[in-house]
Every structure is written in structure tokens, then in C-alpha cells.
Amino acid sequence: MVTVRFLPEHQSVTVTPGTTLLEAARQAGVLLESPCNGIGTCGKCRVLLAGESLRHISLRGADPVSLPTKDEHVALLSCQAEVHGDLSVEIPVDKQRDLLQVLSHGQAVTVERAPCIRKLYVEEQQVTNVFAGDLLLATEAGDTRSCHVGLVVDIGTTTLVAALVDLASGREIATASALNPQSRQAQDVLSRIHFAAQENGLQSLHADLTGEINRLAAELAQQAGLDSRRIYEVVYSGNTCMLHLATGTSPAALGRYPYTPVIRGGNHVAAAGQGLAIAASGLIYLPPVISGYVGADLTAGILATGIHRRRGITLLVDIGTNGEMILARDGELRATSTAAGPAFEGMNISCGMRACRGAVESFAVAADGSMHLGTIGNATATGICGSGLLDVVSELVAHGVISGNGRFAATDNAAQLPAALKEKLVLREGKPAFAVTDDIFLSQKDVRQVQLAKGAIRAGIEFLLQDSGITAEQVDQVLIAGAFGYHLREQSLLKLGLLPRAFAGKIEFVGNTSKAGGCALLLNQDLRDEMAALVTAIEVIELANFPDFDRVFVKCLGF
């Protein structure tokens, strides 16, 4: 057995020789970001080693003695570094981790206040009874009717948003956001399904998520000057897999055909049984799920945008790791989803990062080829987040730096580019790339990742329209939902071909409708029955059932 010590927290663990540093970190309770789940592709789990520690490490596929033994620190991927002796590992301090930019607001929806949780003061006994519908949950000493709150948690694949809501006035008292800790271990839904199937994987994902929700709930309660044990109901809004993981339910069925969810939503689960630190008798409400890959977040989005009540044809698209979409035609709803992958979150991109301080979030090229970029917090650029990535690629396509097939301009074609752009075409490790700044570049592989993500979304839209007998020109309005989608520009989506050109002038960015719809469900219990009935009437289109999906998908890869 060997001992691994993690700095700067000085956490130690004893493991068997041959264990990877990533596995050791997980056993020690040290949270290392590894969104590819340790297969060595994301490059996010780097740690630092120096001196004698390097002698006790071997890299998969490399001889142990081939590693440098100088005193300076060497950065290694922890998932590829195997331990063979006692050593110390330094975890790089991420000063930006707490500066993650998460969108908390969405299209406002006004509802009549009729919450499930109600309080009744009994003057004779000087106590307040707390009910969930007709069920007595608790009795509080004194008149506590002024403290009548609930919590909504938007559980995204990458981020969390929690809102504390005054059930008497309908007002949001406080909002907080954080990274979904599960994304450090598995970046997308399929990776998490696989991780949950491993020994203790499901328990780990559930515990990490619940712990972070408890932290957010305590933070919000402190901001509001109340005890989190006064919260009697929480609404979880998220995709189908996230609801499974949030309740400790195996999502294995979502990984195999016919992708039937165990959780269908429209019900309560006991908060205490989930380890949620609210009132001992508190409840978690799970909104109705549409299908295995169209989740409760889209149910909330329907409610927030009211597309089920609109006349005409409206398309609601949640652009993210999972591309979920709803087509509404005079109240008739059809849904589908497509796996866009993690590129829109800045993952699997050479200089990609999440939406933190210093991330390039906007990019434009002038007629003379000069470039203008904007960063989160107006800080020095340190990487590219999803919205910046789409801006960069769309502008380079528009100015001929990237061709319609996704390749960088060849030498003969590059001669036609403005000098300011031509000089930015460089070689990185012998392969073509574009220098966004001196330290940030876009590689050919990065462009391919964008093509795959945008091709998946566009193919989903094409099939949903085609199967509904509707052309792009007939669509009256296009609603782009989600935290990522809110930061995009219409022109970037059209230039890339992620959306049809016929959608120009019809696009509206509606923000975090998952949270907004969750708030509506918290404030009015009658809407729960309405949405449960509506969900059963939604027709789900399974793209896997279309024999020509691959052909259309390949066609949609082009810019």
C-alpha cells in the first residue's frame, strides 16, 4: 500500500500501487474536475508534482523513469498517472471557480398564488400548523405565517440555480448559483449514466449534488435571515437524468433502448430521505417528465413561455449539452432531443473553459480584419466559453478563414484574406489553428467539435419540422431557452447554420425558463395537475427511428 497526500489541504489516502491519482483523489474526498470521467480527453484533471514524487509515478503507456526529475513542478493528468510509492500532489488553486457566470433569470410568468404549502395559525393554542395540501406536516410555536417560503432548484447538467421564493407574495427573495459538482466527474448525461453504474458511482453523484444544494439553501436562508428548516417544499427542475441522480435513482434505463425513465415526475418525495437539509417533514416536488431525454426542465419551459396556449407555430429550443426542443402548433405539442455534446460548455475545446471571469464571451471581425473580443468581467482573456466559441467560429466562417466544410483556409485561399486575419493563421504542433490572442487559439479539432454540436441541434430541428409537416418559413416564433442560449447572438446562430436562415427576425432569447417554470409550480399547485395532463398529450419524436438521420446529420455539419 502507498500513501498519497493532496496539497494544499493536506488530505491523505492509502491506496494500492497502480491506482491513478484521480482514483486516489476520489477516495480521499478531494474533488478534481474530470468531466470525461478519467479517459484522458478533457485535460481538466491536471495536478502538479515535483522532485521525488515524480519517481513514484508512471504514465499509462510510458516508462516511470522517463518522467523529468527536476525540482520544478510538472503538470500531469491525474487520470493517466499511476501511483507506485508515497508521494505528495498539489491541486492547482482555481481562483475563478467561484466566479462561474450562471444565468438565473428567465421569462417572467405571472400565476395566481395557490401554493401547495400553506400555514394556518391557531390562536387558541398559539401555534401555526403547516400543511401540504390537506396533509399536516408540522406544528410551529407562535404565529409563523410571515415566514412562508419555498425553494426552487434548476438542476442543469453543468450548473445549478437556486431561488428562495416568498409564497405569500410570489417574490423571489434571493438567488444563488453554482457549478453542478457532478460535472467534474462526468460532463454529459451519457457519461453520468456510465459513472452511476460503477461501484458507489450513483451514491457519489447523489451525495455531491445534495451537498451542493444544501449549501445553496443555507446560503439563501442566511441572506433572507431565516432558518433553512423553515423550508417545507423544494421544486427540482431538470432533465430526466438529473432528476434520477438528484433522488438517488439509477438512470441505467436511460442508457438503453427504449430509454424508459424510472421517474415520471408529478409527485413528491420526502426531503429527509434524500439528505436534504430543510424541514424534517419537508417535501421535494418533481415536475412531470416528458420522456427519457425530454425532461422536467422542458415541462417548466412550456409553462414559463406559455407556448401551449399560443396560436400559430412556436419552436422552443434549449441549447446546451442536450438539445431539447418543443414544437407547438395551436396548442398541439411535439418534442424531441439530440445529443449536442459538451462543446457548447467549453469542454473538449483546446482553450475552452466555462463561463468564468476572463472567458472570451463575444468576438467580432471588422471589414479590415481587425478583431474585437469581449471577456466576462472585462478581465484578461484566459480561454473561450461557449458563446465566445460560437462567435469566433461564425465570424471566421463569415470572413472566409473557415470554409463551408469546416476547414481552415488553404495557403492559396489565405492570400485573399485581410493581412490582420492572415497573420492569425498559425501552426500548432504542426496543425493549422487560429490565434484568437497570443495565448488562446482555435484548432481544427475545435471547429469539428462545433460542427458536431451544431449539426446535432440543426438535424433535430429539421426532423421535428419535417415530421410535423412544417417548413422553417411557416414557424412564427423561435424561443431559445437556457443559460447558455441567453448569451448567444442571433447572427452567430444563423451564420453557422445552427438555425435556418428563415428564422431571422423571429428569434427571442427567453433565459432560464427551467427556473421560471419551477417557480410557477411552487406558487400554484393547480398548475401541477394541468402540466401532468399536458405532458401525457405531447408526442415525442425519437430521432433514432429515422433511417436517414445519419444522412441529414452529415448534411447539417456544413457551415
Side-chain angles (χ1 to χ4, degrees):
M1 301 294 284
V2 296
T3 300
V4 182
R5 184 173 62 163
F6 293 93
L7 306 176
E9 299 300 325
H10 297 280
Q11 292 169 268
S12 297
V13 65
T14 301
V15 297
T16 57
T19 301
T20 66
L21 285 174
L22 177 61
E23 292 166 344
R26 288 174 175 172
Q27 291 181 38
V30 174
L31 195 57
L32 273 178
E33 187 167 11
S34 177
C36 71
N37 194 23
I39 62 175
T41 58
C42 70
K44 304 299 182 183
C45 67
R46 294 187 184 276
V47 294
L48 302 176
L49 289 92
E52 287 297 316
S53 290
L54 289 168
R55 294 184 179 275
H56 302 302
I57 284 290
S58 67
L59 297 181
R60 289 177 174 173
D63 189 272
V65 298
S66 66
L67 288 168
T69 56
K70 297 180 181 179
D71 288 337
E72 66 263 22
H73 283 87
V74 175
L76 301 175
L77 291 180
S78 64
C79 66
Q80 302 300 303
E82 296 177 347
V83 181
H84 297 285
D86 296 348
L87 54 81
S88 295
V89 183
E90 184 175 337
I91 308 297
V93 178
D94 184 359
K95 296 181 179 179
Q96 297 176 346
R97 178 168 292 172
D98 294 329
L99 298 176
L100 185 71
Q101 176 172 289
V102 183
L103 182 72
S104 62
H105 63 275
Q107 181 163 309
V109 53
T110 302
V111 299
E112 180 181 350
R113 287 186 295 280
C116 174
I117 302 299
R118 58 190 181 88
K119 287 192 168 187
L120 178 64
Y121 178 57
V122 183
E123 188 172 0
E124 297 82 4
Q125 302 173 15
Q126 294 189 349
V127 297
T128 301
N129 290 327
V130 183
F131 293 90
D134 295 327
L135 175 66
L136 178 64
L137 293 181
T139 298
E140 300 175 339
D143 186 352
T144 63
R145 288 175 294 178
S146 62
C147 180
H148 192 194
V149 299
L151 185 70
V152 173
V153 185
D154 168 32
I155 307 175
T157 309
T158 303
T159 58
L160 305 174
V161 177
L164 192 66
V165 180
D166 186 329
L167 299 180
S169 67
R171 181 177 61 90
E172 283 189 26
I173 303 171
T175 304
S177 59
L179 182 74
N180 184 333
Q182 298 171 340
S183 64
R184 297 193 180 109
Q185 301 180 93
Q187 61 189 353
D188 55 34
V189 165
L190 292 179
S191 297
R192 282 183 215 175
I193 292 173
H194 176 71
F195 187 90
Q198 299 177 15
E199 185 178 1
N200 298 320
L202 178 59
Q203 294 90 330
S204 174
L205 292 174
H206 176 252
D208 286 348
L209 178 59
T210 302
E212 190 64 7
I213 292 175
N214 282 339
R215 187 190 67 79
L216 289 173
E219 177 184 327
L220 293 175
Q222 183 177 23
Q223 288 182 36
L226 55 87
D227 190 331
S228 60
R229 289 172 295 182
R230 297 291 193 183
I231 300 172
Y232 285 91
E233 187 179 39
V234 179
V235 173
Y236 278 176
S237 183
N239 68 46
T240 309
C241 182
M242 292 305 103
L243 292 194
H244 280 68
L245 297 176
T247 55
T249 306
S250 172
L254 302 179
R256 56 179 181 266
Y257 188 81
Y259 317 114
T260 303
V262 176
I263 290 176
R264 303 301 312 202
N267 64 290
H268 279 116
V269 296
Q274 299 298 322
L276 201 60
I278 60 171
S281 56
L283 302 171
I284 301 171
Y285 177 73
L286 307 177
V289 166
I290 298 171
S291 74
Y293 283 92
V294 185
D297 50 348
L298 262 289
T299 303
I302 293 170
L303 179 56
T305 57
I307 62 171
H308 57 307
R309 297 192 179 98
R310 299 190 186 198
R311 297 294 92 190
I313 300 173
T314 302
L315 178 65
L316 172 65
V317 184
D318 190 334
I319 300 178
T321 305
N322 305 297
E324 300 168 288
M325 53 198 78
I326 303 277
L327 183 69
R329 175 165 55 180
D330 294 333
E332 179 184 314
L333 305 183
R334 311 184 93 212
T336 194
S337 65
T338 181
F344 292 152
E345 305 289 354
M347 296 292 101
N348 288 355
I349 302 299
S350 303
C351 295
M353 63 184 293
R354 294 195 176 93
C356 299
R357 180 178 173 82
V360 174
E361 64 173 345
S362 62
F363 181 86
V365 176
D368 63 357
S370 59
M371 302 184 304
H372 306 275
L373 57 86
T375 64
I376 295 177
N378 294 318
T380 301
T382 55
I384 310 174
C385 67
S387 61
L389 178 66
L390 291 195
D391 269 6
V392 170
V393 176
S394 68
E395 286 292 279
L396 297 186
V397 168
H399 289 83
V401 179
I402 296 175
S403 64
N405 64 10
R407 298 187 65 85
F408 283 112
T411 304
D412 51 348
N413 294 330
Q416 310 301 319
L417 298 174
L421 288 178
K422 184 179 178 181
E423 67 182 17
K424 295 293 184 179
L425 278 171
V426 298
L427 291 178
R428 299 278 302 196
E429 300 178 353
K431 298 180 180 180
F434 183 86
V436 178
T437 70
D438 290 342
D439 301 315
I440 301 171
F441 64 93
L442 182 78
S443 71
Q444 185 66 72
K445 179 184 175 183
D446 298 335
V447 178
R448 294 300 185 214
Q449 291 294 318
V450 173
Q451 284 184 282
L452 291 171
K454 87 95 183 177
I457 298 288
R458 179 63 182 269
I461 293 172
E462 292 295 325
F463 276 103
L464 187 56
L465 293 176
Q466 172 191 312
D467 198 63
S468 302
I470 295 172
T471 65
E473 289 75 14
Q474 290 176 299
V475 175
D476 298 304
Q477 192 169 27
V478 180
L479 307 179
I480 305 298
F484 169 69
Y486 191 77
H487 295 285
L488 299 178
R489 294 188 302 155
E490 178 177 312
Q491 282 305 309
S492 291
L493 298 177
L494 297 176
K495 286 178 183 177
L496 286 179
L498 192 149
L499 298 179
R501 284 280 181 181
F503 287 175
K506 302 176 181 179
I507 301 170
E508 180 182 353
F509 299 93
V510 293
N512 191 339
T513 56
S514 176
K515 191 210 73 174
C519 288
L521 291 169
L522 182 68
L523 289 167
N524 189 311
Q525 63 176 334
D526 297 332
L527 292 174
R528 302 177 183 186
D529 292 335
E530 178 185 337
M531 298 311 295
L534 180 72
V535 161
T536 61
I538 297 176
E539 182 180 358
V540 178
I541 308 301
E542 294 290 353
L543 299 182
N545 293 334
F546 290 90
D548 58 341
F549 177 80
D550 289 348
R551 179 185 61 81
V552 174
F553 171 68
V554 171
K555 181 180 178 181
C556 291
L557 294 177
F559 293 128

